[in-house]
Structure formats: C-alpha cells, structure tokens
Amino acid sequence: MKATYFKYILEFKKPSGTSRGILKTKETWFITIIDGSKYGVGECGILRSLSVDDREDYEEKLKWTCDHIHLGVDQLWKELIEFPSIQFGVEMALKSFESNAPFLLFPSSFTRNEDNIPINGLVWMGDKEFMKAQIGDKLHQGFNCIKMKIGAINFQTELDLLEYIRSQFSSEVIELRVDANGAFNPQEALDKLHQLSEFDLHSIEQPIRQGQYQEMAVLCKKTPLPIALDEELIGVFDVTEKKKLLQTIQPQYIILKPSLIGGFKGTKEWIEIAEELGVGWWITSALESNIGLNAIAQFTYTLQSEMPQGLGTGSLYTNNFQSPLKVYKGTLIYDYKTEWITNF
C-alpha cells in the first residue's frame, strides 16, 4: 500500500466575494492510496488564512502522512491533531480505499438516489444588482432556504436586499440565513442584530470575529435572532475545550465544516457535545472539490438531520470533477448513473 499527494488549483467560474475579499482560485490537496488495482482518494481541503493548519510545514506534514499511511486512521488522526484538513483527507482516503467503489464511502438511500439532502442556496457578496440577481436565480431553482453573505458592502444596502426578499416571500415560504464571517465589531453587533431581526431570519453566522468568547457569550444571551458559531470552532482540538467553549458562549447553533474541524471524527465530537447542551447544528462544505463534497454529503446523510445543510458548492468551479452530485429543486441528489471523471 503506497500513498502519495498532490496539489490542485480550483478555479471559480465567477470571482466570489466574502468579507475577507474576492476569491478567484481555491487551493486543495489530494492524498491517493494505491495497492495493485485498488485505490482510494481523499481531499485535504485547506482554506488559506482561515484553516488552523495554514502553516509553512503543511506540505511537509502531507509527505510525512503518506510515508506513515500504514499507521492506520486512528493513530494518524491523533498524530495529525493540529492538521484538521489532513485528518479529514486521511479518513476519506482510507475509507475510499476500503470501499468496493472509491467514491462510495457511506452507502445509503442517498447514494441509491432514493432520497435527497435539503440544502441552502448560497448568495455571494457583491453589488446590489449582482446579489439581487443571485437571489432571483436561487428562488427560480426551487430553494426554500437561502444563505446570504453579508458584511462586505454597505449595511443599509444589505438590509434593503433582505427587505426585498421578505416583500416577495414570507418566512413560511423562504428561510433566510445570513453569514457575517465575523464582520461586525462587538460594540455595534447587537444593534445590527436588532435591525436584521426585523426580517424574520433563521439565524446569523459568526457576527463578530472568533476568539472573543465573552463578547460572543453576551451577544448569544441578548440576541433577538439565533446565532450560529462557525469560525469559532476552528483550532479547538481537545474535547474538554470544545465543551468549555459551548458552555461559555451558549450559542443557538454551531456550523460544522469537516475540513476545518478534523473530519468525520472531529465533527461527531462537536455534535455529541452540542446535543448534550441543547445546541442545534448543521454541516457545511468549505469550498472543497466534488471529491470532498461527496464525502461530506454522504456522511451528512447518515446523521439524518432534517435541517437544510450547506452543501451546494459543487458548481462553483470551471475545473471541478464530474460527479453524480447534482442540485435539484433546493436539494442535493446523487445521480448514480452519472460517472465520476477525475483525471487521476
């Protein structure tokens, strides 16, 4: 059994805006395992400037991982505790290798195309007309849950966009989520939350930047609309520390990105703690290729959450891999009749 790795640059069809800037490309890494005619593949979905393992020794750690693939998933997961994206890549690659089909990691009604996964439609930041056009597209595509990135353009303009949506569709018809990516400062955040709450939103993700536990705890206690922690979970490795964070902040929801929090095992740890404390959760991809998205989607389905998940990012790139994953009427389906084309 031999493992190797390589880098792949995903190219956005359109530059995509976040509060951290405009994304034109997305770097990702793959681990492949080969033994005769059998192979497995896993994606290490690092997000530069956000992933805790965005370090100078990242590639060196990938090489070490491939050289020690014989240690197995449990031992490697422990050894890679500070490299959550590689933890996930290893979990995925070894599960893929053990499968009868390399992209069938969790066989289920989802992979047999007998059931689907409700997802939110993602609206990227941009000028008012661009965002309004995206909203129209998502509604036309049959989404009944829309997630809108906010925090990069004029706040009043963002409120106007939300007012526009609500003037057309009530909360019974369209669920609205917003994601601030930590764009608000603590002094203004509560006032902005009150303004946002007028539009009957489902929730807001990460209103202030991560690491401000006491400020976030105050917000979660006083907020007029539910708060979901996202970036806040990154870099918290120890189970005891995970529990302490949720007990301190007491959020209404947490958002789980396997590439950023240690893959399947790391995600399950957060879910177990959240459910013990009465905190809601959902799972979101982190701009992986269709290979990583496939693993996340199949895993997510096994958890049987009824909430819309954040798994609609497969069509963002010009050079993504052909896969059975398709967005259909606001859900993610697995059209197993469509073949994988990966070029490796």
Side-chain angles (χ1 to χ4, degrees), residues 199-220:
F199 304 106
D200 220 351
L201 305 183
H202 172 271
S203 57
I204 180 170
E205 297 179 32
Q206 205 69 42
I208 62 175
R209 63 178 172 80
Q210 68 267 39
Q212 304 177 91
Y213 288 7
Q214 297 306 320
E215 292 88 342
M216 188 68 90
V218 170
L219 275 183
C220 288

Side-chain angles (χ1 to χ4, degrees), residues 19-20 150 178-184 193 203-212 216 219 226-234 249 255:
S19 59
R20 295 188 185 85
I150 63 172
V178 293
D179 182 2
N181 285 126
F184 302 160
L193 293 181
S203 57
I204 180 170
E205 297 179 32
Q206 205 69 42
I208 62 175
R209 63 178 172 80
Q210 68 267 39
Q212 304 177 91
M216 188 68 90
L219 275 183
I227 290 175
L229 302 186
D230 182 357
E231 290 91 341
E232 204 75 67
L233 312 186
I234 298 171
I249 297 177
I255 296 170

Side-chain angles (χ1 to χ4, degrees), residues 89-103:
V90 167
E91 284 182 322
M92 198 187 313
L94 286 169
K95 196 159 188 64
S96 168
F97 181 77
E98 293 163 3
S99 172
N100 292 325
F103 299 108

Side-chain angles (χ1 to χ4, degrees), residues 31 41-45 53 73 77 80 83-94 105-106 257-265 267 288 291-297 299:
I31 292 175
V41 58
E43 181 170 357
C44 305
D53 46 7
V73 66
W77 199 90
L80 294 166
F83 293 83
S85 67
I86 305 180
Q87 283 178 319
F88 188 35
V90 167
E91 284 182 322
M92 198 187 313
L94 286 169
L105 278 65
F106 298 91
K257 294 177 176 171
S259 289
L260 302 183
I261 59 170
F264 305 134
K265 180 177 170 61
T267 300
E288 297 85 359
I291 291 174
L293 179 61
N294 174 63
I296 295 170
F299 168 68

Side-chain angles (χ1 to χ4, degrees), residues 27-71:
E27 168 193 345
T28 198
W29 298 77
F30 292 98
I31 292 175
T32 58
I33 303 173
I34 300 174
D35 188 359
S37 61
K38 195 173 184 182
Y39 81 98
V41 58
E43 181 170 357
C44 305
I46 190 170
L47 276 175
R48 295 297 182 184
S49 81
L50 180 60
S51 298
V52 71
D53 46 7
D54 178 11
R55 297 166 34 164
E56 291 184 2
D57 59 343
Y58 188 83
E59 188 171 355
E60 180 184 326
K61 201 66 176 181
L62 271 173
K63 183 180 186 304
W64 179 91
T65 301
C66 290
D67 290 342
H68 293 81
I69 200 70
H70 61 276
L71 292 177

Side-chain angles (χ1 to χ4, degrees), residues 233-256:
L233 312 186
I234 298 171
V236 185
F237 305 127
D238 183 74
V239 174
T240 303
E241 289 301 310
K242 291 176 181 180
K243 188 168 186 177
K244 181 180 177 183
L245 183 150
L246 294 190
Q247 287 177 323
T248 299
I249 297 177
Q250 297 183 42
Q252 285 74 33
Y253 295 103
I254 58 173
I255 296 170
L256 305 159

Side-chain angles (χ1 to χ4, degrees), residues 148 150 153-165 192 194-199 201:
M148 194 172 100
I150 63 172
I153 63 175
N154 178 270
F155 184 62
Q156 185 58 53
T157 301
E158 292 169 341
L159 293 176
D160 291 344
L161 284 166
L162 292 168
E163 184 176 28
Y164 161 73
I165 300 172
K192 288 191 170 183
H194 277 286
Q195 293 181 67
L196 288 165
S197 69
E198 295 178 12
F199 304 106
L201 305 183

